[in-house]
Amino acid sequence: MSDPFLWLPQPKYSLDHVRGLALGAPYQMVWWSGRFADSHCDDYDYRAGGFGSKRDLKKFWGITGRDDAMMTMRALLDGMHAPEMDEALATALPFRRETPDRQAELVQLVGRQSGPAAAQAVSETLMALSRPAMPELIPPTTCAWDLTRMAMLARRSVAHGWCTPDDVLPLLQRAVDIGRQRVGGWPEYGASYVVGRALWCADEGPADVDESLEIHLPLVRMLLTDPNSPWNRLAW
């Protein structure tokens, strides 16, 4: 297995660039193919095979060039999924250990007060929180789910030649600022990412939540414990 944390022999970009890219570190590690990307933690190179190709970014994100990429990154910074997930999480979390009957009462109450979509979100969140692998400590925000994907798109947009490093640097700086405002450090950021991704999968059912946790909990653990990881080499 290749080294998951490659670094350039000499720095090429500013610390602001590198810290912003570190937000997207989970997506630098190519877990879906059983190997790690042959790319550097402190550069915009990205050679991860098929996933993340221009074809896939068009298919999954609707991105075909610079304008699409910049618009999508800004939308992630504004909160693409985290605000709605955070609202459902704040409602569901106090009922995490309640009986199924009590949880059902909560879902019905939310439905009467806020409508069926909100009730469905709370129901899916309660299901996700009940999965055996879900961490015991749940962060108050899932903002890292949006910020990680924003940094991932910054890396890939530059690697594909759609954007320049100067194009994406202000967005990466803003992402770092948002992260610092919302969470207290890399461990909490990692938990925010893991929980956010699990909640994002919840509408597909418990099997998808379990798979997400099975993959991403060890990945984040590696980022937090490997001394060569950007999350250890860079101060929050």
Side-chain angles (χ1 to χ4, degrees), residues 12 28 42 46 60 66 74 86-87 108 141 155 160 170 200:
K12 185 177 177 181
Q28 187 188 356
D42 51 349
Y46 184 80
F60 295 111
R66 182 185 186 279
R74 292 189 182 107
D86 287 356
E87 184 175 353
Q108 292 173 1
T141 177
R155 174 187 290 276
H160 290 319
W200 181 73

Side-chain angles (χ1 to χ4, degrees), residues 30-41:
V30 190
W31 43 265
W32 50 85
S33 62
R35 63 180 177 82
F36 295 114
D38 181 22
S39 55
H40 295 86
C41 298

